[in-house]
Amino acid sequence: MLTAGAVALALCAGAWLINDGSTGSAPPQPGPSADTGTPSAGADPGGSRVPAAPPLPASPPVRMRIPAIKVDAPVTDVGLDDQDHLASPPMDNRNLVGWYRQGPTPGAAGNALTVGHVDNHSGPTVFYRLGLLRRGDTIEVVRRDRKTAVFTVDSVRLFPKDAVPTDLVYGPTDRAELHVITCGGTYDRKTGYQSNVVVFSHLTAAR
C-alpha cells in the first residue's frame, strides 16, 4: 500500500537541480490558473466541464504524449521498493515515464498513477515542464491494445513532500483517472526538492 510521501521519497530524495544544484533554474511551478479550489477524491479536482468517457478494458501503457509541454516518452512499469515506497524509473534515462503496475492501467476504471523525474545530473528530464500544464490540456496514453486513452487535465497541484494527501492522490475512483507526478517546489541541496507536482486528469476520449 502506498503511503503519504512515498512518491516524494522515490522521486525527490536523489534528484539534483541542473548541474548538481550549482547552477540553472528550478523547473516551472503550477500557477494560479492551474487549480481552482481543493479537490476531493473521485471528483474533478479543478471542476472540469469536460464529460468523462466510459472506462476502457485494462491494458498496460506503452507511451505517453503531452502536446502542451512536448512530452513524447515510452512508459515502463514500476512497483514498490523494500520500504513500500513507489519505485521510480531509472535516473539515467531522461525520457521515460513510470506506471505503477499494481494499480489500474490508464483508461481503465480507477486511478492510474504515473511518475517521472524532473531532472538529473545532466539536465532537465521528461517532466521538467509538468508544472506548466493547465486545466483543459490533454494527455495521451498509448496502450498495448493499440488504443489511445485521452485524458483532460482537471487540476495541477503542488504538495509538500511530507504532506502528500494520500486519499486524494492515491485513492480509488469510479471513473478512469490519471495522476501524473514529479518533483517540484523549492530545492535543497542536501535533501532535494521539497514538494511534488501532481497533475489530476480524467478520461475524456479513446481512439
Side-chain angles (χ1 to χ4, degrees), residues 117-140:
H117 293 289
V118 69
D119 63 21
N120 62 16
H121 291 286
S122 300
T125 55
V126 63
F127 286 157
Y128 182 81
R129 292 164 54 87
L130 196 68
L132 292 177
L133 287 181
R134 296 295 181 262
R135 188 171 67 249
D137 288 337
T138 58
I139 301 171
E140 302 174 357

Side-chain angles (χ1 to χ4, degrees), residues 178-189:
L178 177 72
H179 294 177
V180 186
I181 305 172
T182 194
C183 300
T186 58
Y187 179 85
D188 182 278
R189 190 161 186 172

